[in-house]
Amino acid sequence: MSIRKIIIDTDPGQDDAVAILLALASPEDLDVLGVVAVAGNVPLSLTQRNARIVCELAGKTDVPVFAGCDKPLKHTLVTAEHVHGKTGLDGPQLDDPTMPLQDQHGVDFIIDTLRSQPSGTVTLCPLGPLTNIATAFQRAPDIIERVQEIVIMGGGFFEGGNITPAAEFNIYVDPEAADIVFRAGAPLVVMPLDVTHKALTTPAHVAAFRGMDTNVGHMVAAWTDFFERFDKEKYGSEGAPLHDPCVIAYLIQPDLFAGRHINVEIETQSDLTRGMTVADWWGVSGRAPNALFMRDVDADAFFGLLAERLSRLA
Ligand code: BDR
Ligand code: CA
């Protein structure tokens, strides 16, 4: 398979950090053209900092990091320090990054890249609220047909929501942006909570990360230790869901995942169910499919891939 060019749009977040590391550790599969930060888990001033910390940790200071939108299209920003801690990357001790933040706005980078690269060769990987992608699509609708694929972490159907009973965090934070992206017509793959809640760390996985005895291995172990306390308390689960790495794993090894091509629409009007991904899994609406909505993952193979790739980093 040829190397896929990707833009990672992200709000790190410990699980975002692992996703970025997985991508940067996989040059035979992925060419990371840039990392664009968005406000989400924590404000933009922290997500852009965290994105640079993660690129530096991977030793990839040549990957350009951009700051995108600092607030959702319509609503006040909702953050998730209760999950990720005050910095978004709580857990290990982290130094300030030294690599620069690019001057260009992240949305302009997305637009320029899609216009300058051959059409159909750039995949967008949103790991946070969809504000940057929606803004780019609104500002430059010509880029939509140039997108190869959008692979999103967001939503939930069988699992319900995680920030409200109905909504998953990334979609809830900016449902208007999600609505724009889901209606855009670009090929869409969705990794909802239905999948990511099956990609749970176990004590053995965390021990394996630590056992790599590399800087990256220790960091990832410390992040998962911190991140998993929330889900253990909430769901009584054994570990933490590695939500965002599912997006990158799909690009490397799509057959780890299984789902259906269905219609998915976003609730933007209701106070009660704002940000719900209304997924027509059973095909009862007659509405045209617009997304490959995943439901299952081979968790053992997923963690095998993650361990193999992360062990390459120092
Ligand atoms: C999503 O929300 C964030 O807290 C995680 O980074 C992930 O992208 C899970 O709902
Ligand atoms: Ca995220």
Side-chain angles (χ1 to χ4, degrees):
M1 248 184 19
S2 59
I3 298 174
R4 275 178 89 146
K5 289 182 273 197
I6 66 170
I7 296 175
I8 301 178
D9 191 273
T10 177
D11 62 339
Q14 291 89 349
D15 61 320
D16 301 71
V18 177
I20 297 167
L21 291 173
L22 176 60
L24 294 177
S26 305
E28 72 271 54
D29 297 299
L30 302 173
D31 177 7
V32 183
L33 301 179
V35 176
V36 183
V38 67
N41 285 322
V42 286
L44 183 68
S45 57
L46 289 169
T47 58
Q48 58 86 356
R49 171 186 180 270
N50 293 346
R52 287 183 290 139
I53 287 175
V54 176
C55 290
E56 265 182 34
L57 178 63
K60 310 282 181 186
T61 49
D62 52 330
V63 173
V65 175
F66 302 82
C69 299
D70 64 356
K71 55 176 183 301
L73 297 186
K74 191 168 154 205
H75 292 281
T76 312
L77 178 65
V78 175
T79 52
E81 285 88 354
H82 59 292
V83 182
H84 300 275
K86 237 169 80 167
T87 66
L89 286 184
D90 276 18
Q93 175 63 40
L94 297 170
D95 294 329
D96 279 333
T98 54
M99 67 179 277
L101 181 68
Q102 300 295 311
D103 290 336
Q104 191 182 25
H105 193 282
V107 169
D108 293 326
F109 169 73
I110 293 171
I111 294 171
D112 286 357
T113 306
L114 281 163
R115 283 181 176 160
S116 60
Q117 294 285 339
S119 185
T121 65
V122 177
T123 293
L124 302 176
C125 305
L127 311 178
L130 288 154
T131 320
N132 290 337
I133 311 290
T135 305
F137 284 2
Q138 275 183 322
R139 222 182 268 169
D142 58 289
I143 64 174
I144 296 173
E145 64 176 29
R146 303 181 67 84
V147 173
Q148 182 177 4
E149 202 169 36
I150 311 175
V151 186
I152 289 174
M153 190 282 131
F157 181 63
F158 297 97
E159 282 286 286
N162 59 356
I163 185 82
T164 74
E168 180 278 330
F169 179 79
N170 289 341
I171 307 294
Y172 178 78
V173 172
D174 200 342
E176 285 74 21
D179 186 45
I180 289 168
V181 173
F182 276 72
R183 286 179 191 281
L188 203 61
V189 179
V190 183
M191 293 290 165
L193 296 176
D194 309 306
V195 168
T196 66
H197 280 177
K198 293 173 183 156
L200 292 179
T201 55
T202 62
H205 296 138
V206 181
F209 295 141
R210 198 161 271 126
M212 289 171 191
D213 205 18
T214 57
N215 200 17
V216 164
H218 286 294
M219 287 288 181
V220 171
W223 278 330
T224 40
D225 273 347
F226 180 88
F227 181 55
E228 67 182 19
R229 94 214 172 285
F230 177 79
D231 286 87
K232 278 178 170 171
E233 275 167 32
K234 183 171 167 192
Y235 298 107
S237 57
E238 201 186 2
L242 289 189
H243 304 284
D244 296 338
C246 289
V247 165
I248 305 299
Y250 172 78
L251 295 173
I252 299 172
Q253 219 179 307
D255 61 358
L256 295 180
F257 299 88
R260 288 188 187 175
H261 198 230
I262 61 169
N263 178 272
V264 182
E265 300 205 0
I266 310 295
E267 175 58 59
T268 56
Q269 301 302 316
S270 157
D271 284 340
L272 188 63
T273 58
R274 164 184 159 192
M276 182 176 182
T277 41
V278 180
D280 188 8
W281 185 263
W282 303 111
V284 293
S285 70
R287 294 191 286 261
N290 60 340
L292 176 55
F293 194 85
M294 295 302 189
R295 185 174 182 182
D296 280 307
V297 55
D298 178 341
D300 286 341
F302 167 79
F303 278 100
L305 173 71
L306 192 58
E308 184 258 311
R309 296 295 164 102
L310 293 186
S311 68
R312 300 168 170 187
L313 299 172

